[in-house]
Amino acid sequence: MTRPSVLGGETKSRGLLSGRRSQGVLIAWGVGAVLFCLLLLFLQLVGLFIVTPLALLLLVFTMDTGTGSTPWRRLTDRRRMAYRRRHGFDDFIPVDWRPPGLSPQDRREWNRYRDWPDGVDGMYWLQSDPRVPAVAYHAGFGEAPYLSVAFQVDGPVAGLHGDAYVAQAQARFGELMAGWGASQKLVTGIQIITRVLPTDSAFHEVWLQDELDQAAPEDLQADYGALLDEMSMSGFVQRHYVVIRWDVDGRLTTLAGRRAPGLPGYLSLINSQIPIAHRRLVDAGYTRVRPLSGPVLAAVLRHLQHPGWPIDRASDVTVHTCWLPSHDEWSTTEVVSSAPDPLDPDLLLPQSSWLHRTAQIPVQALESRELDGLWLAPLLTGLDEPLVRTLSTHIQFVPAREAKVGARRDATSDRAEIIAQQRKGQLIDDETELALSAANRRYGDLREGAGHHGAVWSAYLTISARGTEELSECVTHIEEAADHAGIARLDWLDTRQSAAAATTWPVGRGMSAPKRSTTARALHRVGHGTSKESL
C-alpha cells in the first residue's frame, strides 16, 4: 500500500507568531495595538476617535478573502512594477550586447543591459567545460551562497506499474532524502524538475535532410515542415532533472580549504561529491543518471527561455551565451529570439516570441487531506491539452533533532486545540484533526533509530505559450488541473515574472535555507563544529 501523507497545514509551526497566520499581518496588528494603547493612555477619548478609523483601514488593507492577495499586496505590486518600468528593469538584454557609445548617464537604457537575467543574479561558474559536470557558485543578492550541480535523469516510474511498484519507488525516494538529511551531510537541498515539452523532431529532420530530393517542389518541402511542427506540438514528452545543492557554510568551507585555498578548493570538494550523488540517485531508482556539462546545461537554459530552441542542441551555446533578451509585463515575461529552421538546423528563422507565466504552489492552499506520491500527476500527465510547462519542487533538509522539536510542538498545540473544542462542546475541526494526525506521524517518523529526517519544501510551475490568448487558455487548464490535485489556488507571481521563471530552471534558485529557532541554530553550530585538532 502506498503510504499517504498530509501536506496541507504542515508548512509552518503552530506558534503564536507563525503557522497558519501571516507574520506580516501579525506584525502590523501588533504595532497597531501598541499605538492604540499609547493613544488611549495619553489622549483618551480623542485617541479613540483617531485609532478607530486607523484600525478599520488596517483591517481592510490586510484582509485576505481566500485569494491569497490583499489590498496591501496589490499596492506593493503596483509600486514594484512602476519602479521597474521607471528604471528600465522590466527589460533584460545581455550586457555583451550593450552599444559602445551608450552613456551611464542614461540610467534607464543602461540598466536594461545586465550580466544575468532576473532570478539568477550572482551566478558564477567554477567549471563549465564540455564533457565535465558543470559546477555553479551562487552568490545572489541577499542570499546565503551555495554550490549546485544538475543531473538529467529518467524517473523511477516509467510506464504502467502496480501499486506495489509505486510504493517501493516512493520508499526508495524517502531513503534518498533521509540519507541526505543528517547534520553531518554536506548536501543541504535538492531540486526536482519535470519539463513537459513537444516531441523533439530531430530524428525526422535528419532523415529529411538525407532522403529529400533536392529537386522536390518547394510546396512539398514546406508541407513536410508543417507536418513536423504539427507532430511536435501534438505529441508531448517529459524531461527530468535533479539539482543537488551544497550550502557554503563553515563546515564546507573548512573541508574545501584543506584541499586548496579559495574557489579551487570548493571545486575539488564538489567534484568528489558528484560520484556520491550519482550513486545515491541510482540507488533511489533513477535511471540514465548523468551530470550536465556546461554546454548541455546551457542548451537546457536556452530552451526554457525560448522553446523554439531544441533542448539538446548544445553545439553552439555556452553558459555565458545562453541568455536571451526578455521584456516583463504585469503577468508575463516575453522572450524574443531567433530559432533554428526544422528543415535546416543551420538556418535561423526570423525572431519569434514566447510568453511565460510562473506561479508558486502555496502550501497554505493545499487541502488538508491524505495524499500519495502521485498527487501532482494531474499537473504532469493529467492534462489532455498541449501545454508546455515546467514543474519544479525544492526540498531543504532539516536534521531529525531539529525537526523533532517542531513536530512535538505542533502535535502538542493541535492536541490542546482539540481538547479546548471538546470542553466547549464544539464540533472538532477536520483540518485540526488531520493536522494532529500528520504531526503525530512526523513525530513518529523522527523517533530515535527511525533513520528519517525533516524537510521543508516549495514548488513552482511555469507555463509557456506563443500568444496572450493561448497563455490565458493555458492558465485556465492548469488551474483546473491544480484543483484536481487538491490545490485550491495558484499564487501567480505577477510583477516579478522574469525572476519567478528562474525557480523552474535547473540552477537551484527558488528557496532559501529554512529559518531556525535560537535553540536550533545553537544545535546546528554544535553539530557542524570542527575541532582544530581533528583530522
Side-chain angles (χ1 to χ4, degrees):
M1 294 295 292
T2 302
R3 181 183 186 274
S5 299
V6 177
L7 298 180
E10 285 300 290
T11 56
K12 300 178 182 177
S13 65
R14 275 50 153 201
L16 177 62
L17 297 179
S18 57
R20 301 169 189 167
R21 306 171 180 85
S22 169
Q23 291 189 1
V25 173
L26 288 172
I27 292 174
W29 277 103
V31 173
V34 172
L35 179 62
F36 178 79
C37 294
L38 292 176
L39 289 176
L40 285 182
L41 178 63
F42 292 102
L43 301 179
Q44 298 180 358
L45 188 59
V46 177
L48 180 63
F49 284 108
I50 295 176
V51 169
T52 301
L54 292 178
L56 293 176
L57 186 63
L58 180 62
L59 176 64
V60 171
F61 265 79
T62 59
M63 181 180 296
D64 182 2
T65 58
T67 62
S69 180
T70 63
W72 177 257
R73 176 177 173 179
R74 290 192 289 272
L75 177 61
T76 304
D77 289 344
R78 284 195 292 270
R79 293 182 60 187
R80 180 190 298 114
M81 198 65 200
Y83 176 86
R84 297 187 64 198
R85 288 170 175 167
R86 186 168 60 252
H87 293 276
F89 292 116
D90 57 334
D91 289 315
F92 165 75
I93 303 176
V95 70
D96 294 338
W97 299 11
R98 179 183 289 159
L102 183 62
S103 172
Q105 301 299 326
D106 187 355
R107 297 304 303 173
R108 188 182 187 283
E109 188 68 19
W110 182 271
N111 290 338
R112 297 173 62 198
Y113 299 89
R114 300 193 291 277
D115 293 296
W116 306 278
D118 294 345
V120 290
D121 60 293
M123 185 169 69
Y124 305 91
W125 297 95
L126 304 186
Q127 184 171 273
S128 60
D129 298 326
R131 293 181 292 278
V132 294
V135 180
Y137 181 91
H138 302 261
F141 178 76
E143 296 183 8
Y146 68 93
L147 298 149
S148 70
V149 173
F151 293 81
Q152 184 173 345
V153 301
D154 286 348
V157 181
L160 298 176
H161 295 283
D163 292 342
Y165 185 91
V166 175
Q168 182 183 11
Q170 183 176 345
R172 294 175 71 177
F173 182 78
E175 293 173 359
L176 171 70
M177 298 292 100
W180 274 328
S183 60
Q184 68 269 21
K185 301 294 184 180
L186 294 179
V187 174
T188 54
I190 185 173
Q191 178 189 10
I192 304 167
I193 301 172
T194 297
R195 172 68 169 175
V196 183
L197 70 157
T199 304
D200 190 355
S201 59
F203 293 108
H204 296 282
E205 295 165 10
V206 172
W207 178 88
L208 180 63
Q209 285 182 332
D210 295 338
E211 303 296 332
L212 181 64
D213 187 354
Q214 297 299 324
E218 294 184 1
D219 293 343
L220 179 61
Q221 297 184 33
D223 290 343
Y224 198 90
L227 177 62
L228 287 180
D229 291 341
E230 184 177 352
M231 289 176 55
S232 299
M233 292 306 297
S234 60
F236 276 62
V237 296
Q238 293 185 6
R239 291 293 186 91
H240 306 278
Y241 303 93
V242 174
V243 181
I244 309 300
R245 168 176 172 150
W246 295 266
D247 284 349
V248 181
D249 54 16
R251 184 166 180 265
L252 186 138
T253 301
T254 300
L255 295 176
R258 293 174 179 173
R259 293 174 173 264
L263 296 180
Y266 288 124
L267 179 59
S268 175
L269 179 61
I270 296 305
N271 278 331
S272 70
Q273 290 286 310
I274 291 175
I276 300 174
H278 183 281
R279 184 175 64 251
R280 291 193 58 82
L281 290 172
V282 172
D283 292 342
Y286 288 104
T287 58
R288 300 182 63 202
V289 179
R290 58 272 192 202
L292 299 184
S293 65
V296 176
L297 179 56
V300 174
L301 291 172
R302 182 175 61 180
H303 164 80
L304 291 172
Q305 296 170 82
H306 193 286
W309 284 97
I311 197 170
D312 295 320
R313 177 166 169 160
S315 60
D316 60 348
V317 67
T318 69
V319 293
H320 305 291
T321 62
C322 63
W323 308 123
L324 302 176
S326 64
H327 172 72
D328 265 21
E329 291 295 341
W330 183 276
S331 301
T332 60
T333 291
E334 181 183 18
V335 177
V336 179
S337 172
S338 301
D341 188 343
L343 298 177
D344 186 1
D346 296 329
L347 176 64
L348 295 182
L349 297 174
Q351 289 190 343
S352 59
S353 67
W354 276 81
L355 300 178
H356 308 282
R357 195 179 188 196
T358 302
Q360 183 180 10
I361 298 178
V363 200
Q364 298 85 353
L366 293 182
E367 297 179 1
S368 294
R369 66 177 185 180
E370 291 188 340
L371 304 169
D372 59 18
L374 302 178
W375 69 282
L376 286 174
L379 294 172
L380 298 174
T381 60
L383 281 167
D384 297 329
E385 294 76 16
L387 200 162
V388 180
R389 57 200 182 275
T390 307
L391 179 65
S392 172
T393 303
H394 302 258
I395 302 174
Q396 292 282 334
F397 305 124
V398 181
R401 59 181 178 181
E402 299 178 20
K404 187 185 296 185
V405 175
R408 184 189 297 114
R409 182 174 59 246
D410 294 346
T412 302
S413 176
D414 290 336
R415 190 175 294 111
E417 187 172 344
I418 289 177
I419 293 175
Q421 291 177 1
Q422 290 175 338
R423 287 179 176 175
K424 296 178 181 179
Q426 300 175 346
L427 292 176
I428 298 177
D429 183 13
D430 293 340
E431 184 177 354
T432 303
E433 199 169 25
L434 270 174
L436 174 60
S437 173
N440 286 332
R441 181 178 297 164
R442 281 192 293 131
Y443 186 70
D445 290 341
L446 295 169
R447 67 184 183 276
E448 295 292 338
H452 293 288
H453 295 270
V456 293
W457 65 277
S458 63
Y460 300 88
L461 179 68
T462 296
I463 59 175
S464 305
R466 293 185 179 273
T468 305
E469 293 184 2
E470 182 182 348
L471 186 66
S472 179
E473 294 179 1
C474 292
V475 170
T476 302
H477 296 317
I478 207 70
E479 288 181 340
E480 291 177 355
D483 184 66
H484 293 157
I487 304 170
R489 59 178 173 82
L490 295 174
D491 187 6
W492 297 104
L493 302 176
D494 294 337
T495 70
R496 40 188 169 168
Q497 284 294 327
S498 55
T503 62
T504 57
W505 298 349
V507 292
R509 296 291 178 102
M511 186 175 183
S512 58
K515 294 182 179 180
R516 294 184 170 93
S517 63
T518 303
T519 304
R521 287 197 298 268
L523 292 174
H524 182 75
R525 290 180 180 177
V526 172
H528 285 69
T530 303
S531 173
K532 294 181 180 179
E533 293 80 14
S534 64
L535 293 177

